[in-house]
Amino acid sequence: MNKTCLFLLSALVSHASLAATPTVEEFLADPVAVLDEQGKLEREVALSEVPPNPLPVLQYNEELELVQVELAGKKVWLDTMDLRLNPSKLVKLPCQKMPTSQAQDQQNNSTIGFGAGCSK
């Protein structure tokens, strides 16, 4: 019984630690723009020269929206707009500041929904 519990606990912990490591799941651009730490273009790499996915993310710069990965044995920065990341970035919207449509709105005939994250 104790061995079974320990095995299940270790499997759960190892799975959780793997899930917590962000990875690049897919490259959305061809060629892939390789940037410096300030976000300036250094060079472009053909998609055929990029290692197979998933690729572990070494660092994440939230301010510039860049991720650091290792390509060809060298640490480089990539733009998150050119990548599909796992886990993906979640954008939190301030529900109280989002516009609501009026009952007699004649300029916009669309429906504005707040989504599951808002309790309006």
Side-chain angles (χ1 to χ4, degrees):
M1 172 89 172
N2 286 339
K3 288 183 182 180
T4 304
C5 289
L6 287 174
F7 173 74
L8 291 175
L9 183 61
S10 66
L12 182 64
V13 169
S14 65
H15 178 68
S17 65
L18 289 175
T21 304
T23 57
V24 174
E25 295 295 317
E26 184 179 358
F27 291 91
L28 304 176
D30 187 14
V32 177
V34 175
L35 312 170
D36 66 6
E37 64 271 354
Q38 301 302 315
K40 294 184 181 178
L41 181 67
E42 286 188 343
R43 67 183 192 282
E44 292 182 336
V45 177
L47 192 58
S48 60
E49 298 175 26
V50 175
N53 302 329
L55 194 61
V57 172
L58 305 174
Q59 289 186 48
Y60 182 68
N61 183 331
E62 281 190 58
E63 183 179 329
L64 297 176
E65 295 190 1
L66 302 175
V67 292
Q68 186 182 50
V69 297
E70 189 171 321
L71 292 178
K74 201 173 169 189
K75 293 180 182 178
V76 297
W77 291 91
L78 305 174
D79 189 344
T80 58
M81 294 298 291
D82 296 338
L83 310 170
R84 180 165 292 129
L85 298 172
N86 184 22
S88 62
K89 181 179 179 181
L90 295 177
V91 178
K92 294 183 181 181
L93 300 174
C95 300
Q96 298 82 8
K97 296 180 183 177
M98 292 178 67
T100 57
S101 61
Q102 302 296 319
Q104 298 284 328
D105 194 350
Q106 296 176 359
Q107 295 177 351
N108 185 353
N109 294 324
S110 65
T111 302
I112 298 175
F114 294 109
C118 295
S119 59
K120 279 193 164 191

